[in-house]
Amino acid sequence: MAAEGTLTAGDYIRHHLVHLTNKKQESIVDFSVINIDSVVVSLTLGILVCFFLWRAARQATAGVPGRFQAAVEILVEMVENQAKAVIHNAQSRKLIAPMALTVFCWIFMMNFMDMLPVDLLPQIWHSAGPAMGFKDYLRVVPTADLSTTLGLSVSVLLMCVFYNIKIKGLGGWTHELVTAPFGTSKNPVWALLLGVVNFLMQMIEFVAKTVSHGMRLFGNMFAGELVFMLIALLGGYAALSLGGGLFFVGHLIAGTVWTLFHILVITLQAFIFMMLALIYLGQAHDAH
C-alpha cells in the first residue's frame, strides 16, 4: 500500500493489480476463480443504476421536468435515436433500447470508479479486509477486469444468437451460416466446400466481434488505471523525498490533466460499447 514505505514502485503497482479472489488461479483459463471485488462492485453499481432509472421513470411528469428528469430524458432520447438507426424492428427495440440505456449507464458507472483516488478504497480495505478474514487486495474498477468485459460481450453474443433465431427462424439462420458470405453452388461438391468455408468464416466473425468487443473496453480502462497509479507514485515520491517539490507539482498537473481527459475516455468507452452492442444486434436482424 502507499502508506507502507518499504514497498517499491513495482511492489505498489503489483499489489494494486491483484484481485480479491475466492481461490488462487491455477491455469490461464480457470472458471472456478471468482474476482469477488469485481462482482461486488459491479452488482452494487448495477443496482444503483437500475434504482435511479426506475426512480426517474416513476417521478416523470408531463410538466416542466427537473434537472434529474431532464438528464435522464436526454439519455433516453439519445439511446432511442441510436437504436432506431440500426434496428428497424420496432418490437425488438422495446427490449433492446432500454437494455442499451442500462448498459451505457452501468458501464459508465463502472468506468467512473477509476476517477476515485487510487488508494482511497484499497486503504480502507487494508484495515477492514484482513480484520474480516479476507486478503489485503482490492481492485475497484470492474471494467479493468477482463472477466467483466468479456462477460458483457458474451452476453451481447448470446442476445445476437437469440435474435438471429427469433427473426430468421432456426432453419433460416442455419442456412445463412452455410451460405454467407460466399454464397453456395448447384454443384454438390462445391456447395459442401463453400458451406464449410462459410460456416468457419461465420464462427470466426462471431468470436472476433465478441473478443474485440470486450478487449477494447478492458484495454482502455486497464491503461487508465495504470496511468493513475503512476501519477499516485509521483505524489509518493514527493512526500518521501527532501526535494520533492517538483514531484508534487508534477503530481498535481498530471493528475488534473489526466482526470479531465479520462472523463471523456470513460464516457466514450461506455458509448462505444453500447453502440457496438446495438450494431451487432442490428446485424442479427438483417439477412445476408
Side-chain angles (χ1 to χ4, degrees), residues 137-282:
Y137 297 114
L138 182 68
R139 293 184 68 182
V140 298
V141 186
T143 44
D145 179 6
L146 187 58
S147 299
T148 302
T149 58
L150 284 182
L152 290 169
S153 63
V154 169
S155 299
V156 175
L157 171 65
L158 294 177
M159 289 196 67
C160 288
V161 172
F162 170 77
Y163 277 106
N164 267 302
I165 296 175
K166 179 181 179 181
I167 300 300
K168 304 166 187 175
L170 182 59
W173 185 46
T174 303
H175 180 265
E176 182 179 280
L177 289 176
V178 296
T179 58
F182 299 122
T184 187
S185 172
K186 294 181 180 180
N187 186 303
V189 177
W190 280 108
L192 177 62
L193 291 175
L194 285 173
V196 172
V197 172
N198 286 328
F199 181 79
L200 291 176
M201 291 295 292
Q202 290 274 358
M203 293 302 104
I204 291 173
E205 179 183 353
F206 279 120
V207 172
K209 288 193 300 187
T210 302
V211 173
S212 64
H213 199 190
M215 287 290 292
R216 180 182 292 102
L217 177 59
F218 161 74
N220 281 278
M221 298 312 301
F222 183 78
E225 188 180 36
L226 282 178
V227 172
F228 275 121
M229 291 179 192
L230 294 174
I231 294 173
L233 285 172
L234 283 177
Y237 280 123
L240 295 175
S241 61
L242 294 176
L246 290 178
F247 283 120
F248 182 72
V249 173
H251 170 74
L252 288 179
I253 295 176
T256 301
V257 172
W258 183 248
T259 299
L260 294 174
F261 175 73
H262 208 57
I263 293 173
L264 174 64
V265 172
I266 64 177
T267 306
L268 186 60
Q269 289 304 313
F271 179 77
I272 290 174
F273 192 96
M274 178 201 73
M275 279 304 305
L276 287 175
L278 288 174
I279 290 171
Y280 295 156
L281 290 169

Side-chain angles (χ1 to χ4, degrees), residues 20-21 36 125 128-137:
L20 177 64
T21 61
I36 300 173
W125 185 253
M132 295 186 294
F134 294 98
K135 293 184 178 179
D136 184 22
Y137 297 114

Side-chain angles (χ1 to χ4, degrees), residues 82-127:
Q82 299 299 331
K84 286 181 179 178
V86 294
I87 299 173
H88 307 297
N89 187 309
Q91 188 65 30
S92 296
R93 285 201 305 270
K94 291 181 180 180
L95 173 64
I96 294 176
M99 179 214 69
L101 174 64
T102 305
V103 166
F104 173 78
C105 296
W106 188 25
I107 292 179
F108 174 82
M109 291 302 298
M110 289 192 287
N111 291 351
F112 190 82
M113 296 299 291
D114 210 9
M115 307 297 290
L116 299 178
V118 172
D119 286 308
L120 178 60
L121 295 180
Q123 185 62 46
I124 296 173
W125 185 253
H126 178 59
S127 302

Side-chain angles (χ1 to χ4, degrees), residues 16-35:
H16 276 281
L17 292 180
V18 179
H19 285 280
L20 177 64
T21 61
N22 63 323
K23 56 173 289 189
K24 183 178 179 181
Q25 186 169 341
E26 298 177 353
S27 60
I28 296 178
V29 179
D30 189 349
F31 291 106
S32 65
V33 176
I34 300 174
N35 293 335

